[in-house]
Amino acid sequence: MPDIRLIALDLDGTLLNSDKQLTQQNAQALACAAARGIEIVPTTGRFFSGMPEIIRSLPYLHYAITINGAAVYDVRQDADIARAEIPLPLAVEIMRYLDTLPVIYDCYMNNWGWMTRAMQLRADAFAPDEHYLRMIRNLRTPVDDLKSYLLETGRDVQKIQLFLTDPALRLTLLRQLGGQFEGLCVSSSVPNNIEINSTDANKGEALRKLAAHLGLDISQTMAIGDGLNDLSMLRAAGVGVAMENACPEAKQAADYVTGSCDESGVAAAIRRFCL
């Protein structure tokens, strides 16, 4: 069995089931791994305070990779180990381009979500389900105009996220945005969104940074995920595990495919490779 000392876990569709709950089997497997000294690291597109309380309150939680790798967070020190953000001028340029498209968008800045008020009010036409609609409504502060607000703050942006209803446009933007604007990592976590980060802000690079910070070789890590924004960490980790409900690209990138998120596939993978 590989000497796994760190497990990086995507949340939605991976550690959490379809009802966004942590199953008893997954909870038990995490606790057993933590008891053996293995670091349990949520690795998510969310900012830390936007993660479910049941995850943030795990007693053995020491680190988190958040916002697709834009922040590697030390929970006990309440401090970032590493950051990778989109420069403000580039973020505004991207948003001006998005204004020409049939999309709504928001951004994460300073570990919180921000959104133009008019777009937030239209969210029910773009959100894929009630869960994401609640996130857009509850984890975004509405402002009159997002671009103007960002220019007033003068701060760089951790992530830009857009929602759209046209599948063909989504595929086109996934292919083209990275070439249209330099220095971007373009990914997706749900069927009708696109997430834009700095090139250095991806889960794989963040996993490498955290492993180095802890004095671990990358071969001592395991990553488990299901979406396009998980590809980099599935490829980087010593063992990459995709969920049965994962997108085809994630399954292709992984070393092993476990059960679905509704079958506690995370627990099965931990038992196979760590316990």
Side-chain angles (χ1 to χ4, degrees):
M1 223 167 28
D3 178 29
I4 301 300
R5 310 309 306 164
L6 185 158
I7 304 173
L9 297 143
D10 176 57
L11 295 183
D12 300 306
T14 299
L15 182 57
L16 304 177
N17 64 16
S18 296
D19 295 324
K20 311 303 178 185
Q21 300 296 316
L22 178 65
T23 68
Q24 182 178 0
Q25 295 94 322
N26 282 349
Q28 290 174 343
L30 294 181
C32 288
R36 296 192 178 195
I38 299 173
E39 293 288 353
I40 304 300
V41 182
T43 307
T44 176
R46 308 188 198 195
F47 44 85
F48 186 76
S49 61
M51 290 166 44
E53 172 63 23
I54 195 171
I55 303 298
R56 288 186 283 122
S57 63
L58 292 172
Y60 44 77
L61 188 66
H62 302 153
Y63 303 96
I65 293 172
T66 63
I67 317 178
N68 288 338
V72 181
Y73 180 62
D74 186 320
V75 177
R76 292 170 294 183
Q77 297 296 320
D78 187 25
D80 289 332
I81 295 168
R83 297 172 70 95
E85 301 183 351
I86 303 171
L88 175 57
L90 177 57
V92 172
E93 182 183 357
I94 294 167
M95 291 177 185
R96 285 175 177 153
Y97 171 69
L98 296 179
D99 285 336
T100 68
L101 302 174
V103 305
I104 62 171
Y105 61 85
D106 57 48
C107 80
Y108 292 172
M109 181 267 291
N110 196 28
N111 296 313
W112 187 252
W114 309 87
M115 192 172 194
T116 296
R117 183 175 288 101
M119 291 190 181
Q120 190 182 49
L121 291 173
R122 297 166 54 209
D124 57 348
F126 291 85
D129 57 37
E130 185 61 30
H131 166 71
Y132 286 97
L133 184 58
R134 285 197 304 270
M135 288 183 64
I136 292 172
R137 288 173 172 168
N138 299 332
L139 299 178
R140 313 287 190 270
T141 295
V143 296
D144 289 338
D145 179 74
L146 182 57
K147 299 183 297 300
S148 299
Y149 178 76
L150 293 174
L151 290 169
E152 289 175 8
T153 66
R155 302 191 64 145
D156 293 337
V157 170
Q158 294 165 305
K159 182 175 81 170
I160 298 170
Q161 177 173 238
L162 59 124
F163 289 93
L164 65 174
T165 58
D166 184 343
L169 176 60
R170 175 177 175 268
L171 291 175
T172 297
L173 293 176
L174 281 170
R175 291 192 300 265
Q176 294 183 356
L177 279 172
Q180 187 169 350
F181 300 96
E182 293 185 2
L184 298 183
C185 177
V186 181
S187 63
S188 176
S189 59
V190 293
N192 75 328
N193 89 331
I194 293 177
E195 302 181 19
I196 304 170
N197 290 87
S198 164
T199 300
D200 296 330
N202 62 78
K203 293 183 178 183
E205 184 60 28
L207 179 59
R208 292 187 187 92
K209 290 175 181 176
L210 180 55
H213 177 77
L214 297 175
L216 300 177
D217 189 86
I218 196 66
S219 66
Q220 295 176 289
T221 67
M222 179 168 75
I224 311 178
D226 73 305
L228 293 177
N229 63 342
D230 298 319
L231 296 183
S232 60
M233 74 171 182
L234 294 177
R235 292 166 177 153
V239 178
V241 178
M243 307 299 292
E244 178 56 41
N245 54 278
C247 66
E249 295 89 342
K251 290 181 178 179
Q252 185 176 11
D255 302 300
Y256 177 75
V257 177
T258 187
S260 75
C261 64
D262 292 322
E263 299 168 327
S264 299
V266 164
I270 290 176
R271 287 194 299 267
R272 180 181 180 92
F273 293 104
C274 304
L275 303 180

